[in-house]
Amino acid sequence: MKKEDLFETLGDIDPESVEKAGHYRRKKKKTAWGILAACAAAAIIAAVVGVLLMRNSGNTEEGSSTAKSNGKVEADVVKLMASYPASPGKNMDLQTYLNGEESERWFSEQLSKIQATSDLASSMDGYYATMMNRLLADKDGNGENTVCSPLNTYVAFAMLAEVSSGNSQKQVLDMLGVSDMESLRKNVKALWESNYADTPMLKSMLGNSLWLNNTVKYNEDTLKRLTDQYYASSFRGDPASEEMSRELRNWIDDNTGKMLTEYTKDISMDPETVMELVSTIYFKAQWQTEFNQERTTKETFHGLKGDQTVDMMHMEGQQSVYRTDKYTEVSLSLKDSGAMHFYLPKEGTNVDELLKDTDILKAVRDQENSIYPHVKLSVPKFNVSGKKDLRDTMKDLGVTDVLDASSADFSALTEDKKELFISKVDHAAVVEIDEQGVSGAAYVDMAICGSGMPNENLEITLDRPFLFVVTGWDGAVLFSGVVRNIG
């Protein structure tokens, strides 16, 4: 199969028309994706080695790059770029976009997609709540901030399911809460179409990529499916080369708004890598009603590590509020997007108790029991980031086969290599808010490697009689001896 056929251009998504879009835009309800703003506001899942992802709406791009290291020309990294949905208002400034028809057309089309997938949102609450509990809980009791992107992890694990087979695949499907691959693909398509946005007003940009070993023969049907249905660009090269690792770091940085460079700077590919899967999300949205910067004051935040002086933003007006015996939730709408939800535990309730509540997302969806009082809201400006290894989380949720070379089944990916296993699953995320809005990014870096000899820790102390042998260049024994005494 030719590369051109493998990575054929994806057409633009055909949107549906929707009624009452204008009314909806003036008074937005909470959406399932608002919780992403509270949890990670953005996400990226990465199987890494990157270059700048060309988010074109036309043809795929094929090319290569060559780098010199210590005077030696390294192997090319061949790039086949997926075609992303068109960007409404491209090259327009914000005001021109808002004053034109492009803005209203995009909003109506986007709303129809969201309404068409409304049932999917609530059906995934179990997975979202599980990941939040696993990734946000202060298990070590060190009082550190935590952050994650449930959507990002979902897309990444969906890609893992595509390249695995048999019981390995079933374990991933069970973790994601779906019965079969067709259902999963339908979910991912819906999630992508309702969450991808690249306009002058809103950035909610998902990206996927595959990093392939140029010595391995892959299942072309699997690669084509990842390109067509997951918008996954492909990069082929030598995973042992610094060029591949550099491309990887650049790709992740470019697709996360360079918000996670403190974590990506140390990323490098294992020479035994057969494939790395990368999934990313970059998010930036404005508040529907911005905080007045002049009203921001210095206040005290009573943290687990002691009191801190912070910049506290203030807003007053009618807000959506949801209350239980454990917390009070208030939501702030985002322009052309969902909302950010803040959960304040009742006095004497540890915030980790909220993470154990399997109905925690009910506050996002239960419109009937929400109230709309006049609220004086104070929110601290913050920047929260973190990185986690997801392998223990996968084990706890029953995904064990892909982590063990003796049981992992990656026959859907390649028959060329045996005894493959997942060697790393890193998830990093960052969220920050200020008077204007919320922005964030996240990634999951998932590597599939060939198994080698297990690492062994040894301690050798020559503190008793020993033999030595000295050999020449050809292996001849030049000297040998036994040392029984010293001095």
Side-chain angles (χ1 to χ4, degrees), residues 280-319:
T280 64
I281 179 172
Y282 171 68
F283 184 88
K284 186 175 181 64
Q286 297 179 19
W287 303 119
Q288 191 71 39
T289 302
E290 294 185 4
F291 289 87
N292 186 337
Q293 191 167 358
E294 294 181 357
R295 296 185 60 189
T296 299
T297 58
K298 297 291 185 182
E299 304 289 348
T300 300
F301 182 79
H302 304 288
L304 294 181
K305 295 184 177 182
D307 290 350
Q308 295 175 296
T309 300
V310 301
D311 289 325
M312 191 72 72
M313 303 182 296
H314 305 281
M315 177 185 294
E316 185 172 347
Q318 189 178 36
Q319 304 291 350

Side-chain angles (χ1 to χ4, degrees), residues 240-258:
S241 71
E242 170 56 25
E243 181 189 7
M244 278 285 275
S245 292
R246 183 172 57 253
E247 295 269 10
L248 155 78
R249 294 188 293 267
N250 291 341
W251 190 90
I252 296 178
D253 288 343
D254 289 332
N255 285 275
T256 54
K258 293 181 170 58

Side-chain angles (χ1 to χ4, degrees), residues 301-472:
F301 182 79
H302 304 288
L304 294 181
K305 295 184 177 182
D307 290 350
Q308 295 175 296
T309 300
V310 301
D311 289 325
M312 191 72 72
M313 303 182 296
H314 305 281
M315 177 185 294
E316 185 172 347
Q318 189 178 36
Q319 304 291 350
S320 171
V321 174
Y322 186 91
R323 290 185 292 193
T324 72
D325 59 351
K326 292 183 179 180
Y327 62 82
T328 297
E329 177 267 356
V330 59
S331 64
L332 296 179
S333 295
L334 297 165
K335 292 180 179 179
D336 282 3
S337 187
M340 188 166 186
H341 305 262
F342 300 91
Y343 291 74
L344 180 66
K346 290 292 180 66
E347 289 285 353
T349 299
N350 189 307
V351 68
D352 276 27
E353 290 299 312
L354 274 57
L355 298 175
K356 299 175 184 178
D357 186 353
T358 56
D359 291 327
I360 192 67
L361 297 181
K362 190 175 181 181
V364 177
R365 315 205 187 284
D366 190 355
Q367 302 296 314
E368 293 183 1
N369 292 307
S370 293
I371 58 176
Y372 297 86
H374 186 87
V375 178
K376 291 183 178 181
L377 178 64
S378 298
V379 180
K381 294 169 65 173
F382 64 78
N383 181 318
V384 181
S385 67
K387 179 182 176 182
K388 286 183 177 291
D389 184 337
L390 298 186
R391 286 176 293 180
D392 284 343
T393 297
M394 293 170 65
K395 291 177 184 177
D396 292 342
L397 297 177
V399 180
T400 56
D401 282 14
V402 294
L403 302 172
D404 186 343
S406 65
S407 57
D409 185 350
F410 287 107
S411 57
L413 174 64
T414 178
E415 294 285 356
D416 201 25
K417 294 280 187 177
K418 304 299 181 183
E419 295 189 338
L420 302 179
F421 71 105
I422 296 291
S423 62
K424 67 175 177 179
V425 190
D426 292 335
H427 178 46
V430 59
V431 174
E432 60 181 47
I433 69 170
D434 58 17
E435 289 86 355
Q436 285 72 48
V438 56
S439 58
Y443 72 81
V444 174
D445 174 7
M446 189 180 306
I448 301 173
C449 289
S451 63
M453 294 297 291
N455 294 326
E456 186 176 6
N457 297 319
L458 298 177
E459 182 173 343
I460 301 175
T461 304
L462 299 177
D463 58 358
R464 56 185 183 275
F466 61 90
L467 166 72
F468 71 84
V469 173
V470 180
T471 61

Side-chain angles (χ1 to χ4, degrees), residues 95-255:
Q95 201 56 49
T96 302
Y97 172 72
L98 293 177
N99 292 337
E101 297 180 356
E102 195 82 7
S103 173
E104 289 298 329
R105 183 185 305 113
W106 175 85
F107 190 85
S108 293
E109 293 171 352
Q110 198 70 7
L111 180 57
S112 68
K113 297 172 188 175
I114 294 172
Q115 290 178 332
T117 60
S118 59
D119 293 338
L120 172 62
S122 58
S123 70
M124 292 178 57
D125 280 355
Y127 173 80
Y128 292 148
T130 297
M131 295 307 292
M132 290 168 59
N133 182 26
R134 298 282 179 176
L135 302 182
L136 301 183
D138 185 14
K139 297 178 181 179
D140 299 327
N142 56 17
E144 297 291 341
N145 295 328
T146 53
V147 60
C148 73
S149 172
L151 175 61
N152 186 215
T153 62
Y154 189 92
V155 176
F157 288 134
M159 293 176 71
L160 175 60
E162 291 287 359
V163 300
S164 56
S165 303
N167 197 55
S168 295
Q169 184 183 82
K170 183 180 184 304
Q171 290 178 351
V172 178
L173 292 177
D174 288 345
M175 176 179 66
L176 296 176
V178 293
S179 58
D180 55 74
M181 289 303 300
E182 288 306 313
S183 297
L184 179 62
R185 290 163 188 160
K186 181 179 178 181
N187 288 356
V188 171
K189 178 179 174 61
L191 289 171
W192 190 284
E193 293 188 358
S194 59
N195 284 278
Y196 184 91
D198 180 14
T199 76
M201 175 66 75
L202 173 67
K203 303 297 181 186
S204 180
M205 301 169 70
L206 287 69
N208 293 325
S209 58
L210 312 175
W211 302 90
L212 308 172
N213 189 315
N214 58 12
T215 66
V216 177
K217 182 178 180 180
Y218 297 94
N219 183 323
E220 297 292 341
D221 290 338
T222 297
L223 297 185
K224 186 176 188 303
R225 182 178 296 111
L226 288 168
T227 299
D228 291 349
Q229 299 188 22
Y230 293 79
Y231 299 89
S233 298
S234 288
F235 304 83
R236 291 181 189 249
D238 179 3
S241 71
E242 170 56 25
E243 181 189 7
M244 278 285 275
S245 292
R246 183 172 57 253
E247 295 269 10
L248 155 78
R249 294 188 293 267
N250 291 341
W251 190 90
I252 296 178
D253 288 343
D254 289 332
N255 285 275

